[in-house]
Structure formats: structure tokens, C-alpha cells
Amino acid sequence: MSQDRSGATLTAAPADVAAPVVAQARERAADVDAGRADPRATVRLAGGLGLLDAPLVRAVGLVEEVAGECMSTAFCLWAQRMVLTYLRAAARADTELIESVGSGVLAGSTAMAPALRDVAGIAPVPVVAVRTPTGLRLHGPIHWASQLYADAVAVLPVRIGEDPGSAERAVVRIRLSDPGVQVAPAPPLLAMDATASSSVRLDGVDVGPDAVLSTDLAGFVDAVRPDFLLLQTAFCTGLAARCVVESATHVTGVNVALQPDHDEIGAGLSGVRQRLHRWAARPGEPDKAGLLQLRLDAAAVAVAAARLEATLRGGAGYRSDSAVARRLREASFLPVQAPTEGQLRWELSRCA
């Protein structure tokens, strides 16, 4: 247990286990941001130490700590952990695949954002599956996914039949090396280029019964939603905490006028963290609205903290190669990360 400068008590992975992962993320952050390296080595290190398969409360602590050093790496840890969660929730467990993803040897790509939108009634999943004598054949787009490394395993929702109103939905896994999988070149991003994020086109991709994780999309989403949103919240609060800590020593001189802003952001961060770590220890406690509100609050405090740090650091933080600028760019990703700020607000308005 430890306390950060916002006053929040944290429950993280044991320091002696997590320290090498956090240290490596710190050492590689600049290279990862510049595209000279990617997060896979750190994900594999976490897997080798058994941290990808740790209890949720420890996984949350790890993602939070790493996000304070490198958001790209924290994001990839989240994606890897989520694919592992999906595979474990499958009706048919594939032990060998679970071990490969859990060790970090095989990259996991989570393409489940359309599932959350479908279940919320926003839009039907875009990938269509048709039945074949040997299983399902997939056609359609994955509009955005990350960790699209060669031979990665991706988990995605599909609708069975061309009719968008069809009630039949499934969750399936594919390999990016499967015939018919076409990964688009990664576009340049404002930040987090190293996450290997892009779109995918599926053109006649065959999956057998063993690759169907669930035929109950709503039930599957309900089961994985706590992990999904709590771990996303962790990389928001990890980034925010680092910004708050770095800002603390620069509220001097004329910047003392910004002390109330710093105090307000610190208090907001503390409240978000308290909910995060309480619910990570008891993920069955919060309802859907509570999880959505937490994720929305976490992104908002991270954006505010990054902006304040940049304001306090002035010209030094305006250098594009500075860690301050990197954190500001990373924070700009959070309102558009699925579920987006718009989706979160829309869903919350219907939970009232």
C-alpha cells in the first residue's frame, strides 16, 4: 500500500514483482513514443512475471503505475489482459492459447468496442458471419483495433446473417495470419503510434466451433465490462497522477495563482482512485452506471491534469520531445478511446 500526492491510497502489484516492468516502461518511454521501439518487450516481461494473469486489483495497480511512465505500454497491457479475460470467459477454453497470451509471447488484440455499442443500442456490430458446414465465415470491417502485430490473436463480435436486426450475435477469435485478414497500414497518430493501431478488413475468414467464445453477446459484455472499464480507468488515473506529481513543484512564482486548480484536480483524482481500487477489489459491487461514470471521470481528470502540467511548465513543456508534451498528447487520446466521451455520456443519460 502507498499514498500518492493527491492523497489516494493505492493497491498495486507487489513492488518487488512489478518494479522491473515499471522500470522498463520508464526506460523505453521516449523510444516507444518516437517509434524506435514498441511495448511488446515490456508486455512479455509482465507476462513472464505472471502479472498479466494477476488478480484484477493487482492488474489495475500495474497498469496505473506503468501509465505514469508510458501510456502506450499501459494501453498494450490493458489490451493483452482483456484478450486473456475474453479467452478465459469462453465457453470452450483453449489452454495453449491462454498460456501464450498470458505469457505475453502471443499478442492479443481486443476488437470488442463494437460489442459495447451494439449492446447499448447505438449501432449493430459491423462484421457479418454466415454459417458454413464447418463453422462461420466472416466478412466486414474492424474499424479500429490495436496490437495488430503479425499473428496476433484478435477477439471481436459478429452478427450472424445480413439483417442488422438479427438477434443472433457471437464473440469469436481469429488470428491476424488467417487467410482473408487484411490489416491496413497504421496511420500516423497524435500519440501512441507504437500500439500498432489500425483497421482490418475480413474477407471470407473461416472460424471453427472452437473459435466461437460465446453466442450470448450481451451476457459476455456484462461479464467482462468491469475488467474492461476498470483497467481503462487505471491508465487514465496513472497518467493523471504523474501529471499531478510533476506539477506540484512548479506551482511557484506567478503560478501560485494556479494552486486552486492543482488542488481541485488532486482532490478529483483522489476520489476517482478511491472508487477504482475499491471496485477493483470487489468488481461485482458497482453497477453499469457506476463503472461508466468512473471511466468518464477518470478521463476528465487526466485531461485536466495534463493540461495543467503543460501550463505550469511553460516553454519547457512545449518542446515536442519533452515528457510533458508526450503526456499532453497521450491525454488527448482518452476522450476518443472507446467507449468515447460521447458514448459514455449517452449511455449514462439512459441509465438514469
Side-chain angles (χ1 to χ4, degrees):
M1 303 286 283
S2 62
Q3 239 187 18
D4 79 331
R5 296 188 192 184
S6 71
T9 300
L10 307 182
T11 305
D16 58 330
V17 177
V21 179
V22 178
Q24 183 164 290
R26 180 186 311 118
E27 292 162 5
R28 293 166 56 88
D31 285 339
V32 167
D33 183 50
R36 296 185 294 266
D38 68 55
R40 281 178 291 181
T42 305
V43 172
R44 287 193 293 268
L45 176 59
L49 295 171
L51 295 173
L52 293 175
D53 205 19
L56 179 59
V57 67
R58 291 186 177 178
V60 160
L62 175 67
V63 169
E64 193 173 37
E65 288 188 76
V66 170
E69 307 295 345
C70 176
M71 175 67 89
S72 293
T73 304
F75 179 85
C76 288
L77 286 169
W78 163 76
Q80 192 79 11
R81 169 66 182 231
M82 286 315 305
V83 171
L84 184 60
T85 300
Y86 304 149
L87 295 175
R88 288 199 176 280
R92 303 184 187 186
D94 185 323
T95 303
E96 183 176 348
L97 191 59
I98 287 171
E99 289 177 356
S100 295
V101 174
S103 68
V105 171
L106 179 65
S109 175
T110 169
M112 287 292 287
L116 275 70
R117 291 174 61 84
D118 188 293
V119 169
I122 298 171
V125 295
V127 175
V128 175
V130 295
R131 299 188 190 279
T132 69
T134 58
L136 298 173
R137 181 165 294 157
L138 314 183
H139 300 269
I142 298 173
H143 293 300
W144 196 254
S146 301
Q147 294 221 110
L148 295 174
Y149 303 113
D151 203 38
V153 58
V155 177
L156 65 145
V158 300
R159 54 186 168 91
I160 302 173
E162 295 288 348
D163 180 9
S166 168
E168 290 190 274
R169 301 287 192 268
V171 179
V172 304
R173 59 171 171 81
I174 61 172
R175 297 290 284 270
L176 297 185
S177 56
D178 288 343
V181 178
Q182 304 166 38
V183 179
L189 304 176
L190 187 61
M192 302 174 68
D193 275 319
T195 58
S197 300
S198 187
S199 60
V200 182
R201 184 77 193 179
L202 306 182
D203 185 10
V205 179
D206 289 315
V207 297
D210 60 324
V212 177
L213 306 189
S214 175
T215 55
D216 177 9
L217 183 63
F220 194 88
V221 167
D222 285 344
V224 303
R225 184 184 285 113
D227 288 42
F228 192 98
L229 293 176
L230 291 172
L231 287 163
Q232 281 192 349
T233 297
F235 58 64
C236 295
T237 56
L239 176 64
R242 181 60 179 268
C243 294
V244 168
V245 168
E246 295 292 339
S247 296
T249 57
H250 296 279
V251 190
T252 59
V254 296
N255 284 337
V256 295
L258 294 169
Q259 185 68 57
D261 300 72
H262 187 268
D263 293 345
E264 181 180 356
I265 291 170
L269 173 61
S270 179
V272 170
R273 276 181 142 174
Q274 287 169 5
R275 279 182 284 160
L276 169 62
H277 286 273
R278 183 176 73 247
W279 289 345
R282 299 189 291 274
E285 179 179 312
D287 60 11
K288 176 183 174 182
L291 290 168
L292 295 171
Q293 188 66 60
L294 177 67
R295 169 66 173 78
L296 182 65
D297 293 345
V301 78
V303 170
R307 182 183 180 282
L308 178 63
E309 183 190 9
T311 300
L312 289 167
R313 295 301 303 274
Y318 197 65
R319 286 180 53 116
S320 63
D321 60 351
S322 71
V324 179
R326 172 172 56 80
R327 286 190 285 272
L328 186 62
R329 288 186 283 108
E330 290 170 343
S332 70
F333 163 71
L334 300 175
V336 301
Q337 158 68 9
T340 65
E341 180 174 342
Q343 180 177 341
L344 290 167
R345 292 181 181 276
W346 187 89
E347 288 199 59
L348 280 166
S349 71
R350 281 149 180 78
C351 289

Coordinates of all heavy atoms in Angstrom, one line a residue, residues 57 75 81 84 89 99 102 106 116-117 137 139 147 151 154 167 208 222 227 234 242 273 275-276 279 316 326 337 350:
V57 N -7.2 -6.5 -8.9 CA -6.8 -5.4 -8.1 C -5.3 -5.1 -8.4 O -4.8 -4.0 -8.4 CB -7.1 -5.6 -6.6 CG1 -6.3 -6.7 -6.0 CG2 -6.9 -4.3 -5.9
F75 N -1.5 0.9 -22.2 CA -2.6 0.6 -23.1 C -2.4 -0.8 -23.6 O -3.4 -1.6 -23.7 CB -2.6 1.6 -24.2 CG -3.7 1.3 -25.2 CD1 -5.0 1.8 -25.0 CD2 -3.5 0.6 -26.4 CE1 -6.0 1.5 -25.9 CE2 -4.5 0.3 -27.3 CZ -5.8 0.8 -27.1
R81 N -4.3 -8.0 -21.4 CA -5.1 -8.5 -20.2 C -6.6 -8.8 -20.7 O -7.2 -9.8 -20.3 CB -5.1 -7.6 -19.1 CG -6.0 -7.8 -17.9 CD -5.7 -9.1 -17.2 NE -6.7 -9.4 -16.1 CZ -6.4 -9.7 -14.9 NH1 -5.1 -9.8 -14.5 NH2 -7.3 -9.9 -14.0
L84 N -6.9 -11.9 -22.7 CA -6.8 -13.0 -21.8 C -8.1 -13.3 -21.0 O -8.5 -14.4 -20.9 CB -5.6 -12.8 -20.8 CG -5.3 -13.9 -19.8 CD1 -4.9 -15.2 -20.5 CD2 -4.1 -13.4 -18.9
A89 N -13.1 -16.4 -20.4 CA -14.6 -16.4 -20.3 C -15.3 -17.2 -21.4 O -16.5 -17.4 -21.4 CB -15.1 -15.0 -20.4
E99 N -2.3 -19.8 -22.4 CA -0.9 -19.7 -21.9 C 0.0 -18.8 -22.7 O 0.8 -18.0 -22.2 CB -0.3 -21.1 -21.8 CG -0.9 -22.0 -20.7 CD -0.3 -23.4 -20.7 OE1 0.5 -23.7 -21.6 OE2 -0.6 -24.1 -19.8
G102 N -1.2 -15.2 -22.0 CA -0.9 -14.9 -20.6 C 0.6 -14.7 -20.4 O 1.0 -13.9 -19.5
L106 N 2.4 -14.3 -27.3 CA 1.4 -14.0 -28.4 C 0.6 -12.7 -28.1 O 0.0 -12.6 -27.0 CB 0.5 -15.2 -28.6 CG -0.6 -15.1 -29.7 CD1 0.1 -15.0 -31.0 CD2 -1.6 -16.2 -29.6
L116 N -19.8 -3.3 -27.3 CA -20.3 -2.4 -26.3 C -21.4 -1.5 -26.9 O -22.4 -1.2 -26.3 CB -19.2 -1.6 -25.6 CG -18.5 -2.3 -24.4 CD1 -17.7 -3.4 -24.9 CD2 -17.7 -1.2 -23.7
R117 N -21.1 -1.0 -28.2 CA -22.0 -0.2 -28.9 C -23.3 -0.9 -29.3 O -24.4 -0.4 -29.2 CB -21.3 0.4 -30.1 CG -20.2 1.4 -29.8 CD -19.5 1.8 -31.1 NE -20.4 2.5 -32.0 CZ -20.7 3.8 -32.0 NH1 -20.2 4.6 -31.0 NH2 -21.5 4.3 -32.9
R137 N -18.2 -18.0 -41.5 CA -17.3 -17.3 -42.4 C -17.6 -15.8 -42.2 O -18.7 -15.4 -42.3 CB -17.6 -17.7 -43.9 CG -16.7 -17.0 -44.9 CD -16.7 -17.8 -46.2 NE -16.1 -19.1 -46.1 CZ -16.4 -20.1 -46.9 NH1 -17.3 -20.0 -47.9 NH2 -15.8 -21.3 -46.7
H139 N -17.2 -11.6 -42.8 CA -17.0 -10.6 -43.8 C -17.2 -9.2 -43.1 O -18.2 -9.1 -42.3 CB -17.9 -10.7 -45.0 CG -17.8 -12.0 -45.7 ND1 -17.0 -12.1 -46.8 CD2 -18.4 -13.2 -45.6 CE1 -17.1 -13.4 -47.3 NE2 -17.9 -14.0 -46.5
Q147 N -2.6 -3.4 -31.2 CA -1.8 -4.6 -31.1 C -2.0 -5.5 -32.4 O -2.1 -6.7 -32.3 CB -2.0 -5.4 -29.8 CG -1.6 -4.7 -28.6 CD -0.9 -5.5 -27.6 OE1 0.3 -5.4 -27.3 NE2 -1.6 -6.5 -26.9
D151 N 0.4 -12.3 -36.7 CA 0.0 -13.5 -36.0 C -0.7 -13.3 -34.6 O -0.9 -14.2 -33.8 CB 1.2 -14.4 -35.8 CG 0.7 -15.9 -35.7 OD1 -0.3 -16.3 -36.3 OD2 1.3 -16.6 -34.9
A154 N -7.0 -11.9 -32.3 CA -7.9 -10.9 -32.1 C -9.3 -11.4 -31.7 O -9.7 -12.5 -32.2 CB -8.1 -10.0 -33.4
A167 N -31.2 -11.0 -34.0 CA -30.8 -11.1 -32.6 C -29.6 -12.0 -32.4 O -29.0 -12.0 -31.3 CB -32.0 -11.7 -31.8
G208 N -13.8 -22.0 -36.9 CA -14.5 -23.2 -36.5 C -15.2 -23.1 -35.2 O -15.1 -22.0 -34.5
D222 N -21.6 -8.1 -20.3 CA -21.8 -7.9 -18.9 C -20.7 -8.5 -18.1 O -20.3 -8.0 -17.0 CB -23.2 -8.5 -18.5 CG -24.3 -7.6 -19.0 OD1 -24.1 -6.5 -19.4 OD2 -25.5 -8.1 -19.0
D227 N -13.8 -5.5 -15.8 CA -12.4 -5.5 -16.1 C -12.1 -4.5 -17.2 O -11.1 -3.8 -17.1 CB -12.0 -6.9 -16.6 CG -11.9 -8.0 -15.5 OD1 -12.9 -8.0 -14.7 OD2 -11.0 -8.8 -15.4
A234 N -7.7 2.7 -15.0 CA -6.3 2.7 -14.4 C -5.3 3.4 -15.3 O -4.4 4.1 -14.7 CB -5.9 1.3 -14.2
R242 N 0.7 11.1 -12.5 CA 2.1 11.5 -12.8 C 2.1 13.0 -13.1 O 3.0 13.8 -12.7 CB 2.6 10.7 -14.1 CG 4.0 11.1 -14.5 CD 5.0 10.9 -13.3 NE 6.3 11.3 -13.7 CZ 7.2 10.4 -14.3 NH1 6.9 9.1 -14.5 NH2 8.4 10.8 -14.6
R273 N -9.6 7.6 -7.8 CA -8.7 6.4 -7.4 C -9.3 5.6 -6.3 O -9.2 4.4 -6.3 CB -7.4 6.9 -7.0 CG -6.4 7.2 -8.1 CD -5.1 7.7 -7.6 NE -4.0 7.2 -8.4 CZ -2.7 7.5 -8.2 NH1 -2.4 8.4 -7.3 NH2 -1.8 7.0 -8.9
R275 N -12.5 5.1 -5.7 CA -13.5 4.2 -6.3 C -12.9 3.1 -7.1 O -13.3 1.9 -7.0 CB -14.4 5.0 -7.2 CG -15.5 5.8 -6.5 CD -16.4 6.5 -7.5 NE -15.7 7.7 -8.0 CZ -16.1 8.4 -9.1 NH1 -17.0 7.9 -9.9 NH2 -15.5 9.4 -9.5
L276 N -11.8 3.4 -7.9 CA -11.2 2.5 -8.7 C -10.6 1.3 -7.9 O -10.9 0.1 -8.2 CB -10.0 3.1 -9.5 CG -9.1 2.2 -10.3 CD1 -9.8 1.4 -11.3 CD2 -7.9 3.0 -10.9
W279 N -13.4 -0.9 -6.2 CA -14.1 -1.7 -7.1 C -13.2 -2.8 -7.8 O -13.7 -3.8 -8.1 CB -14.8 -0.9 -8.1 CG -16.0 -0.1 -7.5 CD1 -16.6 -0.3 -6.3 CD2 -16.7 1.0 -8.1 NE1 -17.6 0.6 -6.1 CE2 -17.7 1.4 -7.2 CE3 -16.5 1.7 -9.3 CZ2 -18.6 2.5 -7.5 CZ3 -17.4 2.8 -9.6 CH2 -18.4 3.1 -8.7
A316 N 9.3 24.9 -21.6 CA 10.0 23.7 -21.4 C 9.1 22.5 -21.8 O 9.5 21.5 -22.3 CB 10.5 23.5 -20.0
R326 N 4.5 14.8 -24.3 CA 4.0 13.4 -24.6 C 2.8 13.1 -23.7 O 1.8 12.6 -24.2 CB 5.1 12.4 -24.3 CG 4.7 11.0 -24.3 CD 5.8 10.0 -24.2 NE 6.6 10.2 -23.0 CZ 6.3 9.7 -21.8 NH1 5.1 9.1 -21.6 NH2 7.1 9.9 -20.8
Q337 N -11.0 7.3 -26.9 CA -10.8 5.9 -26.7 C -12.2 5.3 -26.5 O -13.0 5.8 -25.7 CB -9.9 5.7 -25.5 CG -10.0 4.3 -24.9 CD -9.6 3.2 -25.7 OE1 -9.0 3.4 -26.8 NE2 -9.8 2.0 -25.3
R350 N -29.1 7.3 -20.3 CA -30.2 6.3 -20.4 C -30.2 5.3 -19.2 O -31.0 4.5 -19.1 CB -30.0 5.5 -21.7 CG -30.6 6.3 -22.8 CD -29.9 6.0 -24.2 NE -30.5 6.8 -25.2 CZ -30.3 8.1 -25.4 NH1 -29.4 8.8 -24.6 NH2 -30.9 8.8 -26.3

